[in-house]
Amino acid sequence: MADLDPSLPWLDALKWDADGMIPAIAQDASGRIVMFAYMNRDSLQETLACGNAVYWSRSRKRLWRKGEESGHFQKVRSIRTDCDGDVLLLEIEQVGGIACHTGRESCFFHELNGDRWVPVDPVIKDPKDIYQ
């Protein structure tokens, strides 16, 4: 793969997939990965404009303003890309401490134990109380 070309305009320097998407990892200040999603050009530009994470929802087929339903917004502190320019890393402040729609701190709460995935992180808030 070719390295990121810093001479290109910032959006053009990124390597978008065939659908115009780029993977985005959300990491809190402690270093914990709390979420993975996709962004397109519009969602990345809106993220920069408003300061909160905006993703592309592949299931909804529209921009997804993280926290629009739950109130659990992600304030973006910095955006980085890897050496190839094909992945984004968002350093975020997770408002309310809940990133996952299951009411957990992180979407990465299943751990492989033998031949089974086991939920290892507690539910902070019942999703029924979040999505009313």
Side-chain angles (χ1 to χ4, degrees):
M1 284 203 163
D3 287 343
L4 178 80
D5 183 349
S7 69
L8 292 172
W10 70 275
L11 272 174
D12 295 335
L14 296 173
K15 297 190 180 59
W16 305 91
D17 72 12
D19 296 321
M21 302 290 156
I22 191 167
I25 300 164
Q27 181 179 43
D28 69 17
S30 76
R32 182 161 190 195
I33 304 296
V34 297
M35 220 181 80
F36 169 84
Y38 287 91
M39 298 180 101
N40 63 12
R41 286 175 180 256
D42 291 340
S43 65
L44 183 51
Q45 289 175 306
E46 186 169 330
T47 295
L48 286 176
C50 73
N52 290 330
V54 179
Y55 302 102
W56 177 258
S57 172
R58 295 181 303 162
S59 60
R60 299 175 186 124
K61 303 213 181 321
R62 67 170 177 83
L63 292 179
W64 166 36
R65 292 155 187 87
K66 176 68 175 149
E68 66 191 356
E69 295 175 27
S70 66
H72 300 136
F73 296 95
Q74 292 177 341
K75 295 181 181 182
V76 177
R77 301 299 183 215
S78 74
I79 301 175
R80 294 180 181 225
T81 190
D82 68 334
C83 56
D84 297 320
D86 60 2
V87 177
L88 297 175
L89 177 64
L90 282 61
E91 184 182 319
I92 57 99
E93 175 190 333
Q94 183 63 59
V95 175
I98 297 172
C100 186
H101 73 281
T102 65
R104 291 176 172 87
E105 179 182 20
S106 170
C107 294
F108 294 93
F109 62 87
H110 286 103
E111 184 173 80
L112 188 59
N113 186 346
D115 63 350
R116 302 220 186 274
W117 291 104
V118 179
V120 294
D121 293 347
V123 172
I124 296 170
K125 189 171 186 179
D126 188 321
K128 291 182 222 145
D129 296 332
I130 297 171
Y131 303 99
Q132 298 176 5

